[in-house]
Amino acid sequence: MTTFSKRTALAALAALPAAAMFSGAARADIEVNVNRGDVQPLPIALPAFGGGPVGADLAGVIGADLQRSGLFRPLDPASFIDRDLNAAVQPNYPAWQKINAQALLYGQASSVDGRLQVDFRLSDVFAEKELLGQRFASSPENWRRVAHKISDAVYQRLTGEKGYFDTRVVFVAESGARGSKTKRLAIMDQDGANPSYIPAGEGVIMTPRFSSTSQEITYMELRPEGSKIYLLNLETNRRESLGDFKGMVFAPRFSPDGGKVAFSVERGGNSDIFVMDLKNRATTRLTTDPAIDTSPSYSPDGGRIVFNSDRSGSPQLYIMGADGSNPKRITFAAGRYTAPVWSPTGEFIAFTKQTGGDFHIGIMKPDGTDERILTSSYLDEGPAWAPNGRVLLFTRQGAGGGSKLWSVDVTGRILQPMPYPGAGSDPAWSPLLN
Amino acid sequence: MVTNRNTGSALRLALIAVTALSLAACASKPKPSYPTTQPAAPQRPVEAPRPQAPISRPEPVSQAPLPGSERDFVVNIGDRVYFDYDKYSVRTDAGPLLDAQASWLKRFPAVQVRIEGNCDERGTQEYNLALGARRANAIREYLVAHGVEAGRITTVSFGKEKPIDSGSGESADQHNRNARTAIVSGARMQ
């Protein structure tokens, strides 16, 4: 692991449509459907971009992004026939048709006044049509972010959905034996690159969550003397506590506008949901039931909150107004439901479900219908949404083993470990970077 | 500053007397009739006897826990009680141990304690934090009902963050569903 270093020049990235390139195209003939679980990944050719080693590195990062999405299958460069690709001329389409590439992504990196400039084009090989042509420029050390921006552009052009590649993941890096684990706050790019620790406190760090509007997170620190909830700005490294409460505080999560934090406060053994307005620090109590009420998560419009309660006798999911009004149970199937998270699109609620001896990550519509179980293992928990609402991160722990970060898409078809070699838990996805 | 040699030796004498007394107390103290360790744990296989060391070394002199010390509380009373799955009600088999905790705490009124609620890993993090808080509070209420001043007891939940048994399966889970009465201050030094 590397030590924490402040990321530089986050704002220095600019996307410019290349003037000479074809733009405003109608939807492509090729199309990738993110909702179907039975699709074959789209064969895409990604020859190394021109411009030396950075060109090859760019194509490598983009190819890995697209492959991990499960929707694309980058073709083996050894099969390529057309070796004279040039961003200035039209590709030799028949040569790409011959190897059954459906899409072709090619580009050119160059250095302009000390800055990295990357032009790229995306083509529909069989329609012999250019779908997208763009230019990105940034400081050279930000080349991975340029690659992720291109991945996002390709994903969006071919699926019609926003991408999630130019993002980061905050998580809890774990080390040491069970029972005496060290849990430290950490952050990395969504593809596992650039992992670094974030100074967050000496206690056990748990449940970091991103604001959906800024590079700010909230998390809890657990110490023998009690717990605290913190806000941490990742750009300034400024950290502040939500304040001192009588009893435990836990399960923090931002409202969609980033202006509030909902969380649980425990008093005399009873946990209820409260919300703090971050502008004036006013705290409002939302639930008063003597049962456990925890894990609040806002709907994207900020109007409702899904939460976990055992008021029926076992942990189930409930929805109430953001002011605590009209709590209504939404889960009735057999099993124990916890850790609900509303998707950023509003389409689904993800949750952890326990049935028999297994734990599952699942999704359902916000009214509790159309439950879809996506994973099953000894212990899967804590789903966290990608900003486009198509992929979930979660923690998987084997019996007696360490915790690892995993991801699954909303179809359940694309299930894989995160490309992070260490033990980790509690992943949370950033919004798309600017 | 001038020390009074007489006072010094008197103190030393008093300390020896206390140690002798506590040793005597321990020797004559009957074993508690209730389990002071975790209940219902399956028996571990008995280890094969090791070969005798060729040269016998003198046995170390073990010091008996000083009454009112943390070790006295842990060894002679027991600091943990156990819970059923997803439950926070005090089990009947935990009653005698908690009664003994309450008596001990009343006997040593300077002691402040923190009840730490723990859960097994068959639940999710946040729910378990809430469940552990319920367990800690249930023990606190029990001790208060048995005469310990409420102001001497704080509570915390560790959820499933501090398992005492790193195995998996029901035996480990049972061990990890517990509440520990941790002495924070006021105990006599060992």
Side-chain angles (χ1 to χ4, degrees):
Chain A
M1 288 288 288
T2 57
T3 51
F4 177 75
S5 65
K6 193 161 166 282
R7 293 168 67 88
T8 51
L10 284 183
L13 210 69
L16 306 166
M21 291 182 174
F22 187 83
S23 62
R27 279 302 300 267
D29 298 340
I30 48 170
E31 192 176 315
V32 177
N33 189 327
V34 295
N35 291 311
R36 283 179 46 188
D38 58 350
V39 289
Q40 289 298 311
L42 184 88
I44 183 168
L46 283 126
F49 284 16
V54 69
D57 291 344
L58 285 162
V61 169
I62 297 164
D65 278 348
L66 296 177
Q67 178 151 35
R68 284 186 51 75
S69 77
L71 302 174
F72 301 89
R73 181 167 59 87
L75 298 172
D76 180 2
S79 68
F80 297 169
I81 300 162
D82 180 11
R83 303 270 171 177
D84 300 317
L85 266 180
N86 180 331
V89 296
Q90 182 156 304
N92 176 6
Y93 283 120
W96 298 102
Q97 289 162 6
K98 198 169 274 178
I99 63 165
N100 269 319
Q102 297 281 315
L104 168 66
L105 178 70
Y106 60 108
Q108 177 73 38
S110 44
S111 177
V112 178
D113 299 331
R115 283 170 68 76
L116 171 68
Q117 180 177 300
V118 182
D119 296 275
F120 72 93
R121 292 163 193 249
L122 174 69
S123 290
D124 180 333
V125 170
F126 285 88
E128 301 193 0
K129 191 164 82 179
E130 186 169 297
L131 304 176
L132 189 64
Q134 284 183 352
R135 169 180 295 169
F136 288 105
S138 96
S139 54
E141 63 269 23
N142 259 345
W143 69 271
R144 291 190 75 94
R145 287 204 52 206
V146 174
H148 295 316
K149 290 254 182 232
I150 295 171
S151 302
D152 282 328
V154 170
Y155 183 99
Q156 184 166 0
R157 184 66 187 82
L158 293 178
T159 68
E161 306 260 349
K162 275 194 174 305
Y164 55 88
F165 301 110
D166 187 25
T167 55
R168 295 190 288 172
V169 172
V170 65
F171 65 104
V172 173
E174 300 189 353
S175 55
R178 272 176 82 198
S180 56
K181 268 183 192 172
T182 302
K183 291 190 158 196
R184 297 170 71 182
L185 188 62
I187 192 167
M188 61 186 174
D189 297 349
Q190 57 76 29
D191 64 349
N194 300 315
S196 61
Y197 290 125
I198 304 172
E202 298 302 310
V204 175
I205 303 302
M206 295 174 71
T207 64
R209 275 87 191 245
F210 261 101
S211 160
S212 57
T213 59
S214 66
Q215 291 300 309
E216 191 170 20
I217 60 168
T218 181
Y219 65 92
M220 87 171 262
E221 181 190 19
L222 177 61
R223 289 167 170 262
E225 310 83 57
S227 64
K228 275 196 172 173
I229 291 174
Y230 288 99
L231 305 172
L232 176 70
N233 186 308
L234 295 173
E235 278 160 3
T236 62
N237 241 5
R238 205 173 95 86
R239 181 177 79 140
E240 58 178 319
S241 160
L242 277 198
D244 290 320
F245 294 81
K246 201 171 148 53
M248 299 273 295
V249 288
F250 56 104
R253 207 178 277 278
F254 283 104
S255 62
D257 64 2
K260 299 182 189 118
V261 172
F263 55 103
S264 273
V265 180
E266 173 267 329
R267 274 174 202 157
N270 177 35
S271 300
D272 276 308
I273 294 169
F274 287 65
V275 60
M276 179 182 278
D277 188 324
L278 297 177
K279 282 193 294 292
N280 57 18
R281 295 293 170 127
T283 300
T284 311
R285 182 175 184 163
L286 299 184
T287 67
T288 55
D289 199 282
I292 288 174
D293 292 326
T294 191
S295 304
S297 172
Y298 280 90
S299 61
D301 65 4
R304 288 180 292 168
I305 290 174
V306 62
F307 66 101
N308 179 211
S309 177
D310 74 340
R311 57 186 66 183
S312 72
S314 71
Q316 300 293 335
L317 305 186
Y318 292 76
I319 285 178
M320 62 183 172
D323 59 356
S325 59
N326 302 319
K328 188 171 161 283
R329 181 172 167 181
I330 60 164
T331 51
F332 294 94
R336 300 156 55 81
Y337 291 83
T338 54
V341 197
W342 219 306
S343 82
T345 60
E347 205 176 344
F348 302 112
I349 288 168
F351 52 83
T352 304
K353 182 177 185 179
Q354 199 179 343
T355 54
D358 285 329
F359 281 68
H360 315 272
I361 302 298
I363 57 174
M364 60 175 56
K365 289 192 176 150
D367 62 2
T369 62
D370 288 352
E371 175 176 306
R372 203 185 291 168
I373 296 300
L374 305 177
T375 76
S376 181
S377 89
Y378 175 75
L379 183 48
D380 286 348
E381 72 169 293
W385 288 100
N388 73 349
R390 291 291 153 198
V391 184
L392 289 154
L393 295 176
F394 62 97
T395 307
R396 171 167 283 185
Q397 186 209 305
S403 296
K404 302 284 284 182
L405 306 177
W406 279 66
S407 68
V408 66
D409 77 322
V410 291
T411 70
R413 184 173 64 89
I414 305 153
L415 170 69
Q416 57 197 336
M418 285 276 290
Y420 172 72
S425 59
D426 293 11
W429 220 312
S430 81
L432 279 170
L433 299 169
N434 291 319
Chain B
M1 210 173 180
V2 182
T3 44
N4 186 329
R5 296 185 65 184
N6 287 337
T7 311
S9 60
L11 253 180
R12 216 172 298 131
L13 277 173
L15 272 174
I16 292 164
V18 165
T19 311
L21 265 175
S22 68
L23 280 170
C26 280
S28 64
K29 187 176 173 176
K31 279 267 168 201
S33 58
Y34 47 83
T36 55
T37 54
Q38 60 279 356
Q43 292 243 315
R44 284 171 203 276
V46 178
E47 271 190 33
R50 290 184 187 172
Q52 286 262 323
I55 302 163
S56 62
R57 271 184 266 171
E59 283 271 308
V61 178
S62 62
Q63 197 183 359
L66 187 69
S69 68
E70 184 173 350
R71 198 160 149 250
D72 175 38
F73 182 73
V74 173
V75 171
N76 293 325
I77 306 294
D79 62 344
R80 255 180 237 267
V81 292
Y82 299 84
F83 293 85
D84 289 334
Y85 176 71
D86 198 25
K87 293 286 189 289
Y88 61 102
S89 48
V90 176
R91 286 196 331 208
T92 45
D93 65 356
L97 194 149
L98 292 174
D99 293 344
Q101 284 192 355
S103 305
W104 192 92
L105 288 168
K106 285 188 279 184
R107 198 172 143 213
F108 302 103
V111 173
Q112 305 274 323
V113 294
R114 175 179 63 231
I115 316 286
E116 301 166 348
N118 292 295
C119 302
D120 64 32
E121 64 183 16
R122 308 314 284 157
T124 52
Q125 282 180 322
E126 291 174 345
Y127 182 83
N128 276 3
L129 284 170
L131 177 60
R134 277 177 162 176
R135 287 177 176 164
N137 190 66
I139 301 307
R140 182 176 188 269
E141 285 182 352
Y142 189 101
L143 295 176
V144 170
H146 287 73
V148 184
E149 297 90 331
R152 294 171 60 196
I153 311 173
T154 60
T155 59
V156 71
S157 171
F158 291 154
K160 57 174 171 175
E161 299 304 311
K162 305 269 183 200
I164 55 170
D165 189 328
S166 58
S168 57
E170 176 49 29
S171 165
D173 291 346
Q174 171 62 89
H175 294 162
N176 292 330
R177 294 191 291 266
N178 65 71
R180 173 179 174 239
T181 304
I183 293 179
V184 178
S185 65
R188 297 172 71 172
M189 301 305 284
Q190 182 64 40

